[in-house]
Amino acid sequence: MGRWEPGATQRLVVAAVDLFTEQGYDATTVAQIAERAGVTKSTFFRHFSDKRELLVAGQETLSRLLAEGIAEAPADASPLEAVAGGLERASTAMGPANRELGPRLKAAVAASTELQERDALKSVGLAAAMTAALVARGVPDPTAHLASELGVLAFKRGYAAWSEGDGEDGSELAEHSLAALAELRAATASLG
Amino acid sequence: MGRWEPGATQRLVVAAVDLFTEQGYDATTVAQIAERAGVTKSTFFRHFSDKRELLVAGQETLSRLLAEGIAEAPADASPLEAVAGGLERASTAMGPANRELGPRLKAAVAASTELQERDALKSVGLAAAMTAALVARGVPDPTAHLASELGVLAFKRGYAAWSEGDGEDGSELAEHSLAALAELRAATASLG
């Protein structure tokens, strides 16, 4: 799917994140999530294998889009230009519902070690997808690793800036993540 | 502690990592770990709160040493020079027992999503410790984040290179992690 399905998937994610924040991840059951979202437990299980899975729902889509954007960058694009292509492509999967979820998700993750672990592994997965796509373009290993770390950092910083805004400026995630990538690129000059 | 305690702590870690690899993380109990290590369960619980805790035993020490090395770098050190100081300091906590643990730990992590999550969060924690130490030196935010990501990547790449060797060359972890940092620094020039 490109964007989150506007129906049950989206409602389940919002319900889950709110419950995780209100009462903690461990104390929240699938039954509670389904009830809050106004669906049955079997609808939950048609969308997600368990409550943890729900948190990585977007990860496969993001990984695929990041890799596609990198693969389809012009042949003469630099490693970071290819990463920028990946960030632009991945941003197309993130609409207003994802922006509004940001602060809730941040609160839920802050409250749970288990969610922090899950979130950290998600970053590792996104970086691995980008590294593989860069290596397939012939980018040598340390450069590919470094470029994908910058890409993940830019995506996270861009998402944070985007989801902290009120959305009234009509800005897209792509603008924020590309601005963050440019800022990180500029920072490489002052590493010493 | 500077190095791992040579006695029970070390034996417990080796026993746990071997059992995780042989039979999986979930199936391994504290009782089995204690038995394999030749200690009682209550000895286990004097050292670790649970089996997961055992995997982060070194993390607080590493975070502290990385931050100390950064804080004590000369006032005119560049961000990456300060990170190099952190890597050197942290490497002093890693002796031959840590080197030998490398391949076992890699096998155990490869076999378990839960250990991958724990490992990913460990990297986030080390990066956060380095970022905070760099910010305290007056390094601006995006540069501090970037420099600490390079530091984590260098530590992991250096540890992998060191622990894949047979140890007969007598090399120290510090040499490998500083070489990896220099390689990543050089790679920044080809990001484009």
Side-chain angles (χ1 to χ4, degrees), chain B residues 61-73 79-93 130 133-134 151 155 174 177-178 181:
Chain B
T61 306
L62 284 182
S63 290
R64 183 175 51 74
L65 293 170
L66 286 166
E68 279 176 11
I70 289 171
E72 293 171 16
L80 278 194
E81 286 166 350
V83 166
L87 294 179
E88 279 195 288
R89 182 71 58 92
S91 298
T92 62
M130 282 195 276
L134 287 165
F155 195 75
S177 56
L178 293 181
L181 186 65

Side-chain angles (χ1 to χ4, degrees), chain A residues 4 9 12-13 43-50 53-54 57:
Chain A
W4 294 91
T9 306
L12 284 164
V13 171
T43 297
F44 179 98
F45 288 118
R46 267 202 304 280
H47 288 80
F48 305 106
S49 59
D50 56 33
E53 167 65 21
L54 183 147

Side-chain angles (χ1 to χ4, degrees), chain B residues 40-120:
Chain B
T40 61
K41 268 180 76 173
S42 52
T43 298
F44 179 98
F45 288 117
R46 267 201 305 279
H47 288 80
F48 305 107
S49 59
D50 55 33
K51 67 177 174 175
R52 178 178 279 206
E53 167 64 22
L54 182 147
L55 292 159
V56 280
Q59 185 181 348
E60 278 180 33
T61 306
L62 284 182
S63 290
R64 183 175 51 74
L65 293 170
L66 286 166
E68 279 176 11
I70 289 171
E72 293 171 16
D76 62 351
S78 72
L80 278 194
E81 286 166 350
V83 166
L87 294 179
E88 279 195 288
R89 182 71 58 92
S91 298
T92 62
M94 308 280 276
N98 294 276
R99 190 183 61 69
E100 284 158 27
L101 199 62
R104 294 169 133 141
L105 199 51
K106 189 177 169 186
V109 168
S112 158
T113 306
E114 195 152 9
L115 298 190
Q116 285 159 32
E117 293 180 353
R118 189 60 251 178
D119 192 54

Side-chain angles (χ1 to χ4, degrees), chain A residues 64-77 81-82 85-86 89 133 137:
Chain A
R64 182 175 52 73
L65 293 171
L66 286 166
E68 280 177 10
I70 289 171
E72 293 171 17
D76 62 350
E81 285 166 351
R89 183 71 59 92
R137 288 177 64 89

Side-chain angles (χ1 to χ4, degrees), chain A residues 52 78-80 116-118 120-121 124 141-143 145-147 149-150 153 157 184-185 187-188 190-192, chain B residues 52 78-80 116-118 120-121 124 141-143 145-147 149-150 153 157 184-185 187-188 190-192:
Chain A
R52 178 178 281 207
S78 72
L80 277 194
Q116 285 159 31
E117 294 181 353
R118 188 61 250 180
L121 188 61
V124 171
D141 177 42
T143 309
H145 262 95
L146 188 59
E149 291 293 338
L150 261 72
L153 213 47
R157 291 169 74 94
L184 289 166
R185 180 178 184 275
T188 62
S190 52
L191 286 170
Chain B
R52 178 178 279 206
S78 72
L80 278 194
Q116 285 159 32
E117 293 180 353
R118 189 60 251 178
L121 188 62
V124 171
D141 177 41
T143 308
H145 263 95
L146 187 59
E149 290 293 337
L150 261 72
L153 212 48
R157 291 170 74 95
L184 289 166
R185 180 178 185 274
T188 62
S190 52
L191 286 170

Side-chain angles (χ1 to χ4, degrees), chain A residues 29-140:
Chain A
T29 65
V30 165
Q32 290 170 334
I33 296 169
E35 189 190 348
R36 174 78 65 104
V39 303
T40 62
K41 266 180 77 173
S42 50
T43 297
F44 179 98
F45 288 118
R46 267 202 304 280
H47 288 80
F48 305 106
S49 59
D50 56 33
K51 68 177 174 175
R52 178 178 281 207
E53 167 65 21
L54 183 147
L55 292 158
V56 279
Q59 185 181 348
E60 280 180 33
T61 305
L62 284 183
S63 290
R64 182 175 52 73
L65 293 171
L66 286 166
E68 280 177 10
I70 289 171
E72 293 171 17
D76 62 350
S78 72
L80 277 194
E81 285 166 351
V83 165
L87 294 180
E88 279 194 289
R89 183 71 59 92
S91 298
T92 63
M94 308 280 277
N98 293 277
R99 189 183 60 70
E100 284 159 28
L101 199 62
R104 293 167 134 141
L105 200 51
K106 188 177 168 187
V109 168
S112 158
T113 307
E114 196 154 7
L115 298 189
Q116 285 159 31
E117 294 181 353
R118 188 61 250 180
D119 192 54
L121 188 61
K122 177 175 171 175
S123 297
V124 171
L126 298 180
M130 283 196 274
T131 300
L134 288 165
V135 167
R137 288 177 64 89
V139 177

